[in-house]
Amino acid sequence: TFSFTDPAVSMDLLRAVLQPSINEEIRGVFNKYMKFFQKAAINVRDNVGEEVDPEQLIQETCRSCLEQAKLLFSDGKKVVPRLPHEQAVPKRARQMDEELNRRGSPIPKKRKGRPPGQSLSNDRGVSGMAAWKLKVSEPVRRDGPKWDPSRLNETTTFVLGSRANKALGMGGTRGRLYIKHPHLFKYAADPQDKHWLAEQQHMRATGGKMAYLLIEEDIRDLAASDDYRDSVDLRLEELKPFVPPAWMTEKMQKHMETLRCGGDAPPP
């Protein structure tokens, strides 16, 4: 039982009545910005690989927008958790961002070819997206024993990137493994490699589909880490490791050496 004279109950009843209309208007706002999200997600897929799911990236971005929008109604006591890339934003920029949210951001002038709101950033502040770009542009460390080409030999076992995603519980977000762990060595299989993989029934013969190979030991080390070992979604039986032929291993050794020395990965 509850009292309809309770202010919170009364307000929530009103909210429940208005919620469908509010949801519809929120959907309209997101539709206005969706073309920018779609272009960005496709760009990420083109840069990272075909295993990135643009739709999943868009969904996560929309949820993040809603979380950050809560700051508009913050009472100053509760702080909305910030994403890891946003924690790298300078304190001055964060203060400006939160102050704008509290006061209600002014509508910026539209600029051709730019998303609305982009003009809010200036020389004294860095927006969340700018901070994310700074972070992903930082060079990935490729040193230590895991990046020693000599560890790849005739007994080294590999797994497909798609299977590694499933094994670590990220099957629904196909490219998340590479974004979350950019330090991992991954090798993009070329047509010759994919022909062998299909012949050995490690993958389907699907034409131009991207296929990454990762070292089984690296994935098992991840699975044993604090981030994954207690996960109920861990499925190491999905790995299905295999030993590639010597000619493929030799290509992967050269690829690792190129990356370790600061070179770029050749286009798949």
Side-chain angles (χ1 to χ4, degrees):
T1 61
F2 55 86
S3 172
F4 284 96
T5 60
D6 187 315
V9 172
S10 298
M11 293 302 294
D12 197 56
L13 286 172
L14 176 61
R15 178 208 55 77
V17 172
L18 297 177
Q19 193 67 53
S21 297
I22 294 173
N23 288 350
E24 194 62 31
E25 292 193 32
I26 291 175
R27 185 182 297 276
V29 171
F30 276 95
N31 287 341
K32 178 182 176 182
Y33 292 89
M34 193 55 63
K35 61 182 178 181
F36 302 113
F37 294 155
Q38 290 170 343
K39 288 180 180 179
I42 291 173
N43 187 50
V44 171
R45 183 192 63 187
D46 292 342
N47 287 327
V48 176
E50 289 295 329
E51 296 197 2
V52 170
D53 186 351
E55 184 61 30
Q56 181 69 26
L57 289 178
I58 292 171
Q59 293 288 336
E60 291 177 354
T61 302
C62 290
R63 286 194 291 269
S64 178
C65 288
L66 290 172
E67 286 297 320
Q68 292 304 308
K70 291 180 182 179
L71 287 172
L72 290 169
F73 308 99
S74 173
D75 57 5
K77 298 177 182 178
K78 296 180 180 179
V79 179
V80 177
R82 304 184 73 87
L83 299 176
H85 66 268
E86 292 177 308
Q87 292 172 357
V89 181
K91 183 178 179 181
R92 171 66 175 168
R94 289 202 305 269
Q95 290 173 342
M96 291 175 63
D97 188 35
E98 291 169 3
E99 180 64 25
L100 284 173
N101 280 326
R102 282 197 296 270
R103 292 184 301 175
S105 302
I107 299 175
K109 295 180 180 179
K110 291 185 178 180
R111 297 187 181 183
K112 186 176 180 181
R114 291 189 179 186
Q118 188 171 2
S119 60
L120 287 178
S121 60
N122 54 35
D123 293 338
R124 294 183 298 169
V126 182
S127 67
M129 181 59 73
W132 181 80
K133 288 181 179 179
L134 287 173
K135 185 169 184 178
V136 297
S137 64
E138 293 174 358
V140 178
R141 290 181 63 88
R142 295 188 175 112
D143 51 18
K146 284 188 177 294
W147 282 87
D148 182 359
S150 65
R151 71 183 291 226
L152 308 185
N153 52 54
E154 64 276 4
T155 63
T156 305
T157 51
F158 291 82
V159 296
L160 287 174
S162 56
R163 290 194 175 278
N165 270 278
K166 291 180 181 178
L168 295 176
M170 295 186 283
T173 50
R174 291 171 294 172
R176 189 174 178 183
L177 175 63
Y178 315 126
I179 298 173
K180 189 174 181 181
H181 303 288
H183 63 281
L184 284 177
F185 169 73
K186 69 178 187 293
Y187 169 77
D190 62 23
Q192 181 188 23
D193 305 326
K194 287 191 282 189
H195 180 72
W196 181 88
L197 291 167
E199 276 190 337
Q200 301 300 314
Q201 298 183 344
H202 295 304
M203 64 175 288
R204 296 177 182 177
T206 52
K209 183 178 179 181
M210 180 72 72
Y212 284 112
L213 302 185
L214 297 94
I215 302 171
E216 181 194 10
E217 181 186 12
D218 291 350
I219 303 304
R220 291 194 178 275
D221 287 346
L222 272 181
S225 68
D226 293 340
D227 291 339
Y228 297 98
R229 63 185 174 198
D230 296 325
S231 172
V232 296
D233 297 321
L234 206 60
R235 299 286 186 273
L236 292 182
E237 67 275 7
E238 290 281 352
L239 287 177
K240 307 287 194 253
F242 58 88
V243 177
W247 53 265
M248 192 186 300
T249 301
E250 184 178 347
K251 284 196 289 186
M252 287 189 279
Q253 285 178 328
K254 293 179 180 177
H255 181 68
M256 179 181 282
E257 181 64 33
T258 300
L259 293 177
R260 188 179 70 158
C261 294
D264 294 326

